[in-house]
Amino acid sequence: MKLHECIIDGASFFVDAETPREAAIKAAREEVSHYAERPVSTAWVDVSVEGDSWRVAINPPTPPCSGGGHKWESPYSLLGGLRENPGVWGNGGGVIIRECCSHCGAFRETDTWATDPETGEQGLTSVTYSEPTEASMRW
């Protein structure tokens, strides 16, 4: 039986030959989420299926919300920045967007010009979550 070899950051696994190539690629993408330790910020890993290679972003899990579901907002009084665009700062060719959940006070930061620390590649998008602060809980 022929197997499709999938390689993730140098570690390989095999997918049944009955599976079409597209399904092998999908399986590789799913395997990435089990392979990598869940990051606190977006991480990128290399994936290869029979010579077809790409990098896959693994975003951190969204933290639980005590209010039943996050409602991300950008209050100027808490996050600063420009009044007309609170919580947003320029970053190279993109922006960093900081938001706060109005239910639980947790923070989400999205960087639209992130850098992969392993390769130095720029222009990626990353997400980072952080715990609520006393100020965000009061807000």
Side-chain angles (χ1 to χ4, degrees), residues 9 29 44-47 53-57 116 118-119 121:
D9 274 357
R29 289 185 190 276
W44 296 272
V45 296
D46 294 318
V47 176
S53 299
W54 64 94
R55 290 186 64 72
V56 175
D116 180 342
E118 289 188 30
T119 66
E121 180 182 357

Side-chain angles (χ1 to χ4, degrees), residues 4 15-16 19 25 30 61 68-69 71 88 113 130:
H4 295 284
V15 176
D16 191 313
T19 307
I25 291 170
E30 290 172 4
K71 183 178 178 189
V88 179
W113 193 258
S130 55

Side-chain angles (χ1 to χ4, degrees), residues 49-125:
V49 177
E50 296 178 347
D52 190 10
S53 299
W54 64 94
R55 290 186 64 72
V56 175
I58 302 175
N59 288 319
T62 305
C65 178
S66 60
H70 292 292
K71 183 178 178 189
W72 301 109
E73 298 188 35
S74 298
Y76 174 77
S77 61
L78 181 63
L79 303 175
L82 299 174
R83 285 193 182 277
E84 52 278 354
N85 205 7
V88 179
W89 288 268
N91 180 34
V95 294
I96 294 176
I97 305 162
R98 188 135 195 229
E99 300 166 294
C100 179
C101 175
S102 61
H103 294 193
C104 69
F107 292 96
R108 176 176 67 183
E109 185 173 285
T110 305
D111 184 348
T112 66
W113 193 258
T115 301
D116 180 342
E118 289 188 30
T119 66
E121 180 182 357
Q122 293 183 308
L124 304 170
T125 299

